[in-house]
Amino acid sequence: MLFHVAMTVKLPRDLPAEEAAGIIAREKAYAQDLQRQGKWRHIWRVAGQYANVSIFDVSDNDELHQILSGLPLFPFMEIEVTPLLRHPSAIREDDS
């Protein structure tokens, strides 16, 4: 199943810089591993914000929930999830 996921990060201003850097480094490693597995298919930065728009390809809602709740930045995120379905007018067969 494909999901459009919009994530906005809101780190507390009083979070120590060293702690924030550690969380961000763990987040990057986790995200890149999911990309290598093909579960996090696309990620785009939203210009001017600490935010991204991503496409996940997972088996079901539960798997997506497990992945998102496992993000090191999860406690500091606002997340919006939209399930995606193939459009009947789409011409590409390899993007379902």
Side-chain angles (χ1 to χ4, degrees), residues 6-15 20 23-24 27 48-52 72-80:
M7 296 178 249
T8 301
V9 179
K10 297 190 174 194
L11 290 174
R13 293 190 186 274
D14 60 348
L15 186 66
I23 294 168
I24 291 166
E27 179 87 7
Q49 299 178 34
Y50 193 175
N52 74 72
L73 285 169
F74 180 77
F76 311 108
M77 288 183 166
E78 292 179 3
I79 300 174
E80 293 182 29

Side-chain angles (χ1 to χ4, degrees), residues 1 3 5 7-8 17 20 22 26 29 32-33 37 41 45 47 51 58 62 66 72 75 77 80 90-91 94:
M1 295 180 68
F3 292 90
V5 181
M7 296 178 249
T8 301
R26 290 192 309 277
Q32 288 179 342
D33 182 52
Q37 293 177 45
R41 292 213 7 212
R45 176 167 290 185
V58 294
D62 188 55
Q66 294 300 318
M77 288 183 166
E80 293 182 29
I91 61 171
D94 64 341

Side-chain angles (χ1 to χ4, degrees), residues 73-93:
L73 285 169
F74 180 77
F76 311 108
M77 288 183 166
E78 292 179 3
I79 300 174
E80 293 182 29
V81 176
T82 305
L84 300 174
L85 298 170
R86 183 169 172 73
H87 194 284
S89 296
I91 61 171
R92 291 185 55 186
E93 296 294 328

Side-chain angles (χ1 to χ4, degrees), residues 3-4 16-17 31 38 40 43-44 50 56 62 65 78 84 93 95:
F3 292 90
H4 170 276
W40 197 325
I43 183 171
W44 295 276
Y50 193 175
F56 285 84
D62 188 55
H65 177 76
E78 292 179 3
L84 300 174
E93 296 294 328
D95 210 16

